[in-house]
Amino acid sequence: ELKVEQNPLFLSMQEGKNYTIYCNYSTTSDRLYWYRQDPGKSLESLFVLLSNGAVKQEGRLMASLDTKARLSTLHITAAVHDLSATYFCAVARGWGFGNVLHCGSGTQVIVLP
Amino acid sequence: NAGVTQTPKFQVLKTGQSMTLQCAQDMNHNSMYWYRQDPGMGLRLIYYSASEGTTDKGEVPNGYNVSRLNKREFSLRLESAAPSQTSVYFCASTLRETQFFGPGTRLTVL
């Protein structure tokens, strides 16, 4: 069974500081996703990481993937209030499984002034 | 191009009632999915359809049925709703590695 664990589950950030969210998964995976969810809203795709060593950046967010350690990180640089949301990582295996996502529990991020 | 649409947005049912959640996508995607999200948790897969004409059970299929009506539409049916099915339901579709999610249906079963 593929398990995905995120930590921390809750993160209170100060504006202007840097933080990291960690995502560990239990078995070999072919793709790792990061999503953002605002309260009462749907999931917004942030990044798809497809290979070992992959790094993607968008604005203040940077995601990386280490498939050997089965670990992905989401790094937030100089946090701002607009980044307050819940962040989910998810993994998927192969194509024969229909690209089914296995999600972590999410990290609730609050950015304080 | 509306992406993934879901109806209804909100629904309240009494225990034992039935209902169907509708999902449609206009992106010509082959695969479609139904997930549920409970408070403080990530998504859990209920059913998925890798292509038109096929459906498969996910992690939590009990109490649900699905129909892949055509390539565009994938419906989720609760035959006899139970309070444990109170949740937010998301439909998604995918082409290769990118998944697109609908806006969700917030369902309460009393």
Side-chain angles (χ1 to χ4, degrees), chain A residues 15-110:
Chain A
E15 280 192 331
K17 293 195 174 180
N18 304 333
Y19 297 87
T20 301
I21 301 171
Y22 298 89
C23 175
N24 289 91
Y25 53 97
S26 60
T27 62
T28 302
S29 168
D30 295 294
R31 296 173 296 286
L32 189 133
Y33 300 80
W34 284 98
Y35 288 92
R36 168 184 172 140
Q37 186 179 35
D38 292 299
K41 303 291 186 182
S42 189
L43 282 80
E44 173 192 351
S45 179
L46 295 173
F47 303 108
V48 181
L49 302 170
L50 301 178
S51 59
N52 187 43
V55 177
K56 290 195 174 180
Q57 183 165 5
E58 181 74 32
R60 300 175 187 275
L61 301 178
M62 184 174 72
S64 64
L65 178 62
D66 180 343
T67 58
K68 294 179 181 176
R70 296 179 188 156
L71 170 69
S72 179
T73 59
L74 180 67
H75 188 71
I76 298 171
T77 301
V80 293
H81 179 71
D82 286 352
L83 293 178
S84 297
T86 298
Y87 294 84
F88 291 95
C89 69
V91 298
R93 288 181 297 167
W95 298 109
F97 298 98
N99 201 38
V100 169
L101 295 183
H102 301 263
C103 261
S105 300
T107 297
Q108 185 179 357
V109 169
I110 295 178

Side-chain angles (χ1 to χ4, degrees), chain A residues 1 31 33 35 37 39-45 48 50 88 95-106, chain B residues 6 31 33 35 37 40-45 48 50 59 90 94-104 106:
Chain A
E1 182 186 347
R31 296 173 296 286
Y33 300 80
Y35 288 92
Q37 186 179 35
K41 303 291 186 182
S42 189
L43 282 80
E44 173 192 351
S45 179
V48 181
L50 301 178
F88 291 95
W95 298 109
F97 298 98
N99 201 38
V100 169
L101 295 183
H102 301 263
C103 261
S105 300
Chain B
Q6 292 181 236
S31 299
Y33 311 80
Y35 294 91
Q37 184 180 37
M41 297 182 69
L43 302 175
R44 290 186 293 167
L45 182 70
Y48 70 101
E59 182 184 354
F90 288 102
T94 184
L95 180 66
R96 297 296 293 174
E97 69 269 9
T98 304
Q99 285 219 359
F100 297 86
F101 286 88
R106 192 171 295 272

